[in-house]
């Protein structure tokens, strides 16, 4: 097995030995020794107050991590990304989601084309269409305005749109209903359209390739559903639009390419929510709010591109993630938004982080000799507190947590918001400092339960605090995580922009689909377990048909 040289960088070696010192420290000591720690270990930028004082780090840790960023050439690779170089090495592509949020007056020429002009051409097309749907000017086949918008897509063509719609629901046009269909399980589609009138429903078929089996299966069922109700093929043009890079396949499906919203192969699926894939978002919140969201993305991009590393939010966030993963050995990260509107953020971040950094070979194809992307998971607070937080507080595995919260609620109501936010601060405090046996005894705790009640503490967390959840803030928040993922991937020397790992399962399912038919030949050529499962599935299916 060949090895990779990242782990031989001087800063990596120093961090490895430094981590043994840090592991013998407790956050209680770190705070006791430095009264100003809470003030010093925070960063304020682009509308965020980022508190990382409760991470298990010292000044020396931060110094070494910044050195690691320099030795890993994070700045050089960042600049290469912004310049449109083909940093997606395994697919030989530029990675230019940052171009999706460049202001109109900028230019960025890639392979002879000004991509900013292209981006704004499509944004203008989206805005015209979104306005016509929102105003009721766009009419369905029977002349009625659109009341329902159903986005059909999966993965990067679904998770961003759902997350953004939910996050920005406060800003949405309330007389429009939005549904999101992703799963090839028919239940997803059937339940999404059950109470909708076909002649008031617009389907957005979102698929970069327009070749994804789940999406095309759902799109075909949507067309059949519409035609069963409107009995006229010409209705498709009024009720279907597409978001894709593949005009030929869009036309073959029967969608007028005049109603196709384009994006480009330099936009990765999980980095596409602010491209035309965000058409449902724009219809929901309107072009003005969408533009504000883009400006938030751009502000964070500019910060990432220009701020010195020691005060660079995504650099610091990414470095802390590497520290926790590789040097402290934490294998998962909890993302806990204390805002109900962000309830789909953990699912969105799961794809962004794990599809990007769940890799085990380096740019040049060598197997890594260190850990890469951790598992991300989470739930909105305070719900998680009444469920799995027990393990985070007292379990045998430590879970670094990102808490996300806002100073102002979009729905101020009695004392709700202070109660909500008190929980972020309390949870972070409890995780860091815990409760000792002596403290419990002093409080007069029952001796019999004493050991069970001890909270060791020393469990790291960060708090991302902002004023209010606005479209602009959401853009900045997503860009923060995008660039943090980039920093981590660069340090790990992995291609954060491909996703070959999802291919094998797709190919195998294509082989298996015909084998599941009732009249399929019986000779199966899989392993004995898969053969037995397929045979039993078919037998059970036939049983049902006979009853
Ligand atoms: C994301 C991935 C993946 C992709 C879906 C849908 O980065 O590439 O999640 O978005 O597989 O692909 P299509 O948009 O091509 O249907």
């Amino acid at each position: 097995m060949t090895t990779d040289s990242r782990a031989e960088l001087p800063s990596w070696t120093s961090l490895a030995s430094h981590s043994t010192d840090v592991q013998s420290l407790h956050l209680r000591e770190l705070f006791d020794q430095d009264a100003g720690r809470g003030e010093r270990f925070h960063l304020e930028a682009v509308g965020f107050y980022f508190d990382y004082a409760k991470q298990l780090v010292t000044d020396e840790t931060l110094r070494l991590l910044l050195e690691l960023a320099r030795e890993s050439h994070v700045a050089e690779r960042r600049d290469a990304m912004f310049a449109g170089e083909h940093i997606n090495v395994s697919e030989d592509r530029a990675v230019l989601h940052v171009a999706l949020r460049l202001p109109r007056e900028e230019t960025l020429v890639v392979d002879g084309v000004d991509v900013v002009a292209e981006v704004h051409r499509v944004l203008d097309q989206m805005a015209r269409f979104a306005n016509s749907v929102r105003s009721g000017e766009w009419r369905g086949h029977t002349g009625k305005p659109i009341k329902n918008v159903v986005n059909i897509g999966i993965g990067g063509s679904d998770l961003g749109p759902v997350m953004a719609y939910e996050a920005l629901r406060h800003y949405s046009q309330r007389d429009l209903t939005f549904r999101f269909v992703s799963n090839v399980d028919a239940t997803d589609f059937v339940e999404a359209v059950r109470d909708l009138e076909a002649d008031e429903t617009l389907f957005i078929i979102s698929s970069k390739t327009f070749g994804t089996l789940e999406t095309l299966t759902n799109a075909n069922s949507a067309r059949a559903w519409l035609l069963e109700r409107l009995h006229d093929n010409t209705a498709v043009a009024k009720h279907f639009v597409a978001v894709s890079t593949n005009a030929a396949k869009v036309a073959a499906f029967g969608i007028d390419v005049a109603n196709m919203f384009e994006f480009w192969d330099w936009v990765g699926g999980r980095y596409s929510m602010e491209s035309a894939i965000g058409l449902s978002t724009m219809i929901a919140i309107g072009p003005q709010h969408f533009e504000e969201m883009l400006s938030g993305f751009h502000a964070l991009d500019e910060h990432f591109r220009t701020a010195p590393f020691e005060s660079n939010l995504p650099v610091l966030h990414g470095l802390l993630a590497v520290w926790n993963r590789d040097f402290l050995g934490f294998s998962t990260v909890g993302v806990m938004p204390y805002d109900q509107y962000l309830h789909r953020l953990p699912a969105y971040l799961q794809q962004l982080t794990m599809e990007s950094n769940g890799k085990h070979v380096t740019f040049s194809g060598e197997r890594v000799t260190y850990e890469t992307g951790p598992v991300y998971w989470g739930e909105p607070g305070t719900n998680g507190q009444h469920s799995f937080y027990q393990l985070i507080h007292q379990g045998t595995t430590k879970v670094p947590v990102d808490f996300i919260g806002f100073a102002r609620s979009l729905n101020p109501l009695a004392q709700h918001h202070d109660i909500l936010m008190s929980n972020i601060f309390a949870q972070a405090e409890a995780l860091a400092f815990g409760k000792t046996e002596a403290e419990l005894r002093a409080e007069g705790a029952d001796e019999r339960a004493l050991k069970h009640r001890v909270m060791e503490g020393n469990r790291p967390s960060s708090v991302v605090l902002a004023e209010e959840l606005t479209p602009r803030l959401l853009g900045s928040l997503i860009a923060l995580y995008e660039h943090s993922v980039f920093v981590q991937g660069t340090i790990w020397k992995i291609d954060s922009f491909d996703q070959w790992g999802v291919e094998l399962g797709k190919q195998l399912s294509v082989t298996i689909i015909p084998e599941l038919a009732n009249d399929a030949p019986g000779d199966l050529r899989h392993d004995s377990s898969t053969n037995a499962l397929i045979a039993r599935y078919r037998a059970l299916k036939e049983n049902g048909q006979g009853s």
Side-chain angles (χ1 to χ4, degrees):
M1 187 179 70
T2 49
T3 58
D4 186 80
S5 61
R6 183 63 88 223
E8 286 157 25
L9 288 176
S11 55
W12 189 285
T13 315
S14 305
L15 279 161
S17 74
H18 169 70
S19 68
T20 52
D21 301 338
V22 172
Q23 274 160 352
S24 66
L25 298 172
H26 194 290
L27 280 167
R28 278 189 220 118
E29 291 167 52
L30 292 173
F31 275 82
D32 284 348
Q33 288 160 9
D34 177 4
R37 183 178 170 93
E39 281 297 315
R40 283 194 313 117
F41 283 19
H42 88 275
L43 194 56
E44 230 166 330
V46 203
F48 295 109
Y49 180 97
F50 177 57
D51 171 89
Y52 57 96
K54 299 190 191 80
Q55 290 288 343
L56 293 163
V57 292
T58 65
D59 288 299
E60 177 64 358
T61 320
L62 296 169
R63 190 188 70 72
L64 289 170
L65 286 170
L66 289 166
E67 193 53 32
L68 176 63
R70 273 183 283 275
E71 288 180 357
S72 307
H73 305 293
V74 169
E76 291 81 346
R77 192 154 178 273
R78 172 200 62 192
D79 294 345
M81 173 173 76
F82 277 85
E85 288 177 29
H86 287 204
I87 64 160
N88 176 352
V89 286
S90 80
E91 295 177 315
D92 191 19
R93 281 181 188 166
V95 174
L96 269 179
H97 44 280
V98 291
L100 297 170
R101 47 260 195 159
L102 279 172
R104 196 179 288 275
E105 56 280 7
E106 304 258 347
T107 46
L108 177 63
V109 178
V110 177
D111 302 329
V113 178
D114 177 11
V115 296
V116 183
E118 283 289 285
V119 163
H120 283 273
R121 178 180 61 75
V122 176
L123 282 171
D124 289 344
Q125 182 199 5
M126 289 165 65
R128 282 193 299 276
F129 182 72
N131 282 333
S132 75
V133 172
R134 288 164 63 84
S135 66
E137 184 193 329
W138 181 275
R139 298 282 161 153
H141 183 64
T142 62
K144 289 191 187 167
I146 296 300
K147 276 194 181 161
N148 317 304
V149 178
V150 181
N151 186 76
I152 296 182
I154 195 165
S157 299
D158 168 71
L159 287 160
V162 184
M163 181 277 292
Y165 170 68
E166 293 293 340
L168 300 177
R169 196 181 256 249
H170 177 80
Y171 304 88
S172 68
Q173 186 165 315
R174 300 293 185 154
D175 62 357
L176 290 171
T177 295
F178 289 82
R179 301 270 162 84
F180 298 85
V181 175
S182 55
N183 199 339
V184 75
D185 181 343
T187 300
D188 203 10
F189 175 73
V190 170
E191 288 292 345
V193 297
R194 181 174 291 277
D195 57 346
L196 306 185
E197 295 296 335
D199 60 350
E200 298 173 336
T201 300
L202 174 77
F203 291 99
I204 303 176
I205 312 301
S206 296
S207 177
K208 181 173 168 180
T209 54
F210 228 77
T212 303
L213 184 58
E214 290 92 334
T215 299
L216 291 185
T217 305
N218 278 319
N220 281 318
S221 295
R223 185 173 49 191
W225 177 84
L226 186 94
L227 293 178
E228 266 167 35
R229 286 157 181 78
L230 301 184
H231 315 287
D232 186 348
N233 274 330
T234 63
V236 172
K238 293 281 179 197
H239 293 271
F240 279 78
V241 297
V243 177
S244 187
T245 57
N246 195 330
K249 286 195 176 170
V250 168
F253 180 85
I255 295 176
D256 184 348
V257 285
N259 297 327
M260 172 180 139
F261 300 84
E262 195 186 346
F263 62 121
W264 307 272
D265 74 353
W266 40 262
V267 184
R270 56 192 172 278
Y271 295 87
S272 67
M273 60 167 273
E274 72 283 25
S275 72
I277 288 292
L279 183 61
S280 57
T281 315
M282 193 193 272
I283 297 173
I285 64 173
Q288 179 64 36
H289 282 134
F290 197 85
E291 198 181 315
E292 287 168 22
M293 183 180 80
L294 295 180
S295 75
F297 271 104
H298 182 62
L300 204 296
D301 294 343
E302 284 301 280
H303 168 76
F304 178 47
R305 204 172 60 77
T306 59
F309 275 10
E310 49 278 17
S311 52
N312 193 309
L313 205 46
V315 169
L316 195 61
H317 190 272
L319 288 172
L320 290 169
V322 171
W323 168 247
N324 282 332
R325 180 70 181 118
D326 290 281
F327 300 100
L328 299 184
F330 305 144
S331 54
T332 86
V333 177
V335 187
M336 314 299 174
Y338 277 59
D339 188 301
Q340 189 58 31
Y341 283 126
L342 292 181
H343 72 106
R344 293 294 290 166
L345 182 70
Y348 174 82
L349 291 180
Q350 279 185 326
Q351 182 189 27
L352 179 66
T353 57
M354 295 203 274
E355 204 173 37
S356 296
N357 285 341
K359 316 275 164 73
H360 69 271
V361 295
T362 64
F363 300 133
S364 55
E366 294 169 340
R367 189 175 177 105
V368 296
T369 55
Y370 39 82
E371 298 293 344
T372 62
V375 173
Y376 277 76
W377 57 284
E379 273 289 314
T382 55
N383 296 359
Q385 289 173 211
H386 296 264
S387 154
F388 51 77
Y389 273 43
Q390 166 62 37
L391 182 148
I392 305 181
H393 283 290
Q394 284 189 313
T396 52
T397 191
K398 284 189 182 175
V399 180
V401 177
D402 273 6
F403 292 105
I404 300 168
F406 298 91
R408 281 203 304 270
S409 172
L410 292 168
N411 296 299
L413 182 63
Q415 232 197 324
H416 284 247
H417 199 64
D418 284 347
I419 296 173
L420 173 73
M421 291 303 291
S422 72
N423 278 281
I424 287 198
F425 306 134
Q427 290 297 324
E429 194 175 10
L431 285 168
F433 305 109
K435 184 145 262 191
T436 62
E437 229 174 290
E439 284 167 340
L440 283 163
R441 232 176 237 119
E443 287 172 7
D446 184 341
E447 278 297 325
R448 283 166 305 181
L450 211 61
K451 296 274 185 215
H452 300 274
R453 295 182 58 176
V454 169
M455 312 268 279
E456 290 170 351
N458 213 25
R459 289 161 192 249
S461 67
S462 299
V463 176
V464 178
L465 185 65
E467 200 173 306
E468 191 173 79
L469 178 55
T470 59
R472 183 179 165 91
L473 196 284
L474 181 73
S476 297
L477 182 65
I478 300 305
L480 164 61
Y481 276 93
E482 285 176 348
H483 296 320
S484 170
V485 162
F486 174 89
V487 170
Q488 295 167 54
T490 300
I491 289 173
W492 290 323
K493 278 183 115 175
I494 54 180
D495 188 339
S496 303
F497 303 103
D498 63 12
Q499 57 282 318
W500 296 103
V502 300
E503 292 304 322
L504 179 59
K506 279 193 211 169
Q507 285 163 16
L508 292 176
S509 86
V510 170
T511 311
I512 293 175
I513 292 166
E515 294 171 351
L516 301 185
N518 293 346
D519 55 356
D523 62 326
L524 296 165
R525 295 177 183 202
H526 304 275
D527 61 275
S528 55
S529 159
T530 309
N531 286 345
L533 284 164
I534 292 174
R536 180 53 63 99
Y537 170 80
R538 283 173 50 174
L540 288 170
K541 204 161 76 144
E542 279 161 26
N543 276 349
Q545 278 161 0
S547 64

